[in-house]
Amino acid sequence: NAGVTQTPKFQVLKTGQSMTLQCAQDMNHNSMYWYRQDPGMGLRLIYYSASEGTTDKGEVPNGYNVSRLNKREFSLRLESAAPSQTSVYFCASMIGGFGYTEAFFGQGTRLTVV
Amino acid sequence: GENVEQHPSTLSVQEGDSAVIKCTYSDSASNYFPWYKQELGKRPQLIIDIRSNVGEKKDQRIAVTLNKTAKHFSLHITETQPEDSAVYFCAARSGNTGKLIFGQGTTLQVKP
């Protein structure tokens, strides 16, 4: 039982390059999220998907796109990378009900844009 | 909009002392407040949570309190140990959208 798997673990991009971060979960959760973690800024929500077929913007969506390919997979795409997108990216799968949500995080992707 | 403020950003205590981290939230519809611990180089993991109909919850050396009127909640760690050193995040779940919004994080250092 792998939980939440993110690929790649590390990536260096040149400004203007594109890439897709992959995330897959095997816990049959409906909700999946993408966060970025920057020093002093915490975990900021980029996009989320409450269920298969739906996606919504979070706090910092500019420069990103997402695809909920199926219930298991939720990918994050940077079309034209910028140095400001240097960050650690976490995918999370969430289980919850009324008044409860637990996030299960992937291992993170450390992205550097030069 | 939904916002969670967390203080302090860094906290250094001596082993055996207590540590307190505080958070405030803006969305009055928030109904669930978890705390996550992230050890160096690892992913965040849930350590304790509290629902909006509860004022306090304890689990061994950690406790959380919630003041709904003030929209304020806190994490208390007693008898701190070096293995408590980590980044701690508070979060609030929106009652309307279900989104989980995190605070800025607190780096706790427990000195032996």
Side-chain angles (χ1 to χ4, degrees), chain A:
Chain A
N1 192 345
V4 181
T5 304
Q6 278 183 244
T7 54
K9 199 167 183 180
F10 300 95
Q11 183 72 50
V12 178
L13 288 179
K14 293 182 179 178
T15 298
Q17 287 186 317
S18 62
M19 79 162 293
T20 299
L21 281 65
Q22 307 286 353
C23 177
Q25 53 98 2
D26 61 3
M27 294 176 285
N28 202 35
H29 293 165
N30 287 321
S31 300
M32 297 183 74
Y33 286 53
W34 277 104
Y35 292 92
R36 59 177 289 175
Q37 182 176 16
D38 303 290
M41 315 252 338
L43 292 160
R44 291 184 293 169
L45 182 61
I46 305 171
Y47 271 93
Y48 68 106
S49 171
S51 62
E52 185 180 354
T54 69
T55 60
D56 285 287
K57 294 179 181 179
E59 305 164 82
V60 288
N62 291 345
Y64 305 95
N65 284 302
V66 290
S67 295
R68 183 73 184 267
L69 304 169
N70 48 55
K71 192 171 186 179
R72 289 188 65 248
E73 298 171 290
F74 188 39
S75 62
L76 178 72
R77 182 160 178 84
L78 287 71
E79 289 292 350
S80 178
S84 60
Q85 294 178 304
T86 293
S87 187
V88 179
Y89 291 84
F90 284 99
C91 174
S93 171
M94 303 218 182
I95 188 169
F98 180 74
Y100 168 75
T101 297
E102 181 172 356
F104 295 85
F105 287 89
Q107 74 269 39
T109 297
R110 185 173 294 276
L111 174 67
T112 302
V113 183
V114 298

Side-chain angles (χ1 to χ4, degrees), chain A residues 2 4 33 35 37-38 40-43 45 48 57-59 90 94 97-107, chain B residues 2-3 31-32 34 36 38 41-46 49 51 87 89 93 97-105:
Chain A
V4 181
Y33 286 53
Y35 292 92
Q37 182 176 16
D38 303 290
M41 315 252 338
L43 292 160
L45 182 61
Y48 68 106
K57 294 179 181 179
E59 305 164 82
F90 284 99
M94 303 218 182
F98 180 74
Y100 168 75
T101 297
E102 181 172 356
F104 295 85
F105 287 89
Q107 74 269 39
Chain B
E2 301 144 330
N3 189 44
N31 56 12
Y32 172 72
Y36 284 77
Q38 184 183 30
K42 302 283 184 64
R43 69 193 79 187
Q45 292 191 298
L46 178 70
D49 57 14
R51 301 193 187 204
V87 179
F89 292 99
R93 178 188 186 275
T97 65
K99 287 189 296 186
L100 204 56
I101 302 297
F102 286 84
Q104 294 86 351

Side-chain angles (χ1 to χ4, degrees), chain B residues 9-24:
Chain B
S9 56
T10 60
L11 180 58
S12 182
V13 300
Q14 287 294 138
E15 182 177 359
D17 287 351
S18 295
V20 180
I21 303 170
K22 299 181 179 182
C23 291
T24 58

Side-chain angles (χ1 to χ4, degrees), chain B residues 41-81:
Chain B
K42 302 283 184 64
R43 69 193 79 187
Q45 292 191 298
L46 178 70
I47 55 170
I48 195 168
D49 57 14
I50 190 166
R51 301 193 187 204
S52 59
N53 59 346
V54 175
E56 184 174 359
K57 182 177 179 180
K58 287 184 180 179
D59 183 3
Q60 299 182 332
R61 294 187 297 107
I62 59 174
V64 289
T65 58
L66 171 64
N67 182 331
K68 281 181 62 179
T69 303
K71 291 192 281 187
H72 170 272
F73 59 113
S74 300
L75 176 72
H76 304 253
I77 306 174
T78 58
E79 300 173 23
T80 53
Q81 299 167 4

